[in-house]
Amino acid sequence: MEGIAGIEGSGECLPAHPSAYARGRRLMTDEVLVAVEALREGGVERIAVGDWHMVGTNVERERMPDGVEVRPIADLALAEDEPSMAEANGAPLDAAVMIGHHASTPNPRAFCSHTFIWEMEVLLGGDSLSEVQVYGQALAAEGVPVLALAGDRWMLEELGEGEMGGAALIAAKEGLGRGRARSRDPEEVRAELREAIATALASPPEPPPRLREYPAELRILAEGEEIACTTVAGPDELLSAIATAFRTSRVSREYRQLAKLLPAGHDSRARAIQRRLGSLLATPAMRSKERRWLAAAP
């Protein structure tokens, strides 16, 4: 959500701010639908939407076209023993469109900067990686091209040259620090996204390269504490190593609790009531963490 056009305040990304978050969900779904329509216009038959933000309750599923499945990240990060980008998609993966992305935790200028969760940092060979860079290496291992990548310009500037292969790079906004951003006009961003997808489908780009040197030391810090230190032999092991560290550490307990309070799924009346009640229960803890996260911006 943090890299979606039109979202300019951190509250629009967080269930603890119901009115703002509802607007953020709508803007996120609007952009997802543009990508889905562009893919279908280009002849793509099967499309899966990965709702990777928090526990996967952010895309308005009732607005998805028939046949488009929405899959929550919790299935990948908390349940899969051997996660991969194809596993996240639920089937073989031919290409990816990545929208709504943000910069890494240490980035002082970026909007809502974090890496997977608040106050977490992923270091590979001493380099701090963003989520996009982790996904890029996972896609490199599976030989999957990225058609387009959109989000905060500071996220794009963290990338090395050609790190996402031949993907079209779209700056949807500019972060003004962790709490605020200045967005481009959403209609302009969506038009650029649509055009980028059409161009990429006509002439598929190269997948991301295996850019980093392996074997490499992987360190994961959460709230300043090291929760994992291991060696990964290649990009095919990176996503699995991070998911395993997350799943087996104390920090995953909070996300499991949040996933129970805010269950993913179609927005039936019963599910909507359940999520509203869950949000009321979770809000005090989420707001406390939010204040600390915003105050701790580099």
Side-chain angles (χ1 to χ4, degrees), residues 54-89:
M54 294 189 74
V55 291
T57 60
N58 310 283
V59 174
E60 296 172 322
R61 299 182 181 210
E62 70 276 13
R63 294 177 59 196
M64 290 296 103
D66 290 343
V68 176
E69 179 187 13
V70 180
R71 298 175 62 84
I73 183 57
D75 287 348
L76 178 72
L78 300 179
E80 295 291 345
D81 290 331
E82 296 293 335
S84 68
M85 301 303 283
E87 194 74 39
N89 183 56

Side-chain angles (χ1 to χ4, degrees), residues 15-261:
H17 301 266
S19 296
Y21 178 60
R23 179 177 184 273
R25 290 186 74 211
R26 176 175 55 79
L27 287 166
M28 183 178 190
T29 306
D30 289 344
E31 198 165 307
V32 168
L33 286 170
V34 167
V36 168
E37 290 164 5
L39 290 165
R40 284 197 160 174
E41 288 169 3
V44 176
E45 294 181 357
R46 181 185 179 276
I47 301 169
V49 176
D51 189 343
W52 295 65
H53 181 79
M54 294 189 74
V55 291
T57 60
N58 310 283
V59 174
E60 296 172 322
R61 299 182 181 210
E62 70 276 13
R63 294 177 59 196
M64 290 296 103
D66 290 343
V68 176
E69 179 187 13
V70 180
R71 298 175 62 84
I73 183 57
D75 287 348
L76 178 72
L78 300 179
E80 295 291 345
D81 290 331
E82 296 293 335
S84 68
M85 301 303 283
E87 194 74 39
N89 183 56
L93 185 62
D94 297 314
V97 174
M98 302 174 69
I99 62 174
H101 285 279
H102 55 82
S104 62
T105 295
N107 195 314
R109 296 172 292 189
F111 177 57
C112 289
S113 56
H114 68 283
T115 307
F116 297 108
I117 63 171
W118 291 341
E119 299 181 84
M120 181 164 149
E121 189 172 3
V122 173
L123 298 118
L124 184 67
D127 293 334
S128 186
L129 301 187
S130 69
E131 294 171 28
V132 165
Q133 290 171 308
V134 171
Y135 301 146
Q137 287 300 280
L139 291 166
E142 298 176 52
V144 177
V146 179
L147 305 183
L149 166 63
D152 190 344
R153 65 163 286 196
W154 303 121
M155 173 273 297
L156 297 176
E157 291 203 1
E158 288 181 342
L159 298 172
E161 185 176 356
E163 187 165 359
M164 298 304 292
L169 306 180
I170 301 169
K173 64 180 59 178
E174 180 176 311
L176 304 174
R178 190 166 275 177
R180 302 295 305 172
R182 182 189 299 113
S183 177
R184 292 175 55 201
D185 179 76
E187 290 302 325
E188 290 182 3
V189 173
R190 294 167 194 163
E192 191 172 336
L193 177 63
R194 186 185 298 276
E195 182 178 352
I197 292 171
T199 300
L201 288 173
S203 180
E206 290 295 316
R210 301 187 180 211
L211 191 63
R212 304 194 174 265
E213 293 185 7
Y214 296 95
E217 180 186 66
L218 173 67
R219 295 180 64 230
I220 303 176
L221 309 177
E223 299 177 9
E225 176 186 339
E226 184 176 273
I227 63 171
C229 183
T230 188
T231 298
V232 291
D236 54 314
E237 296 183 5
L238 182 59
L239 191 62
S240 180
I242 293 171
T244 298
F246 180 81
R247 187 167 53 245
T248 57
S249 72
R250 60 174 176 77
V251 295
S252 73
R253 182 175 64 252
E254 296 173 356
Y255 266 67
R256 291 179 191 276
Q257 292 170 343
L258 194 60
K260 290 179 180 178
L261 290 171

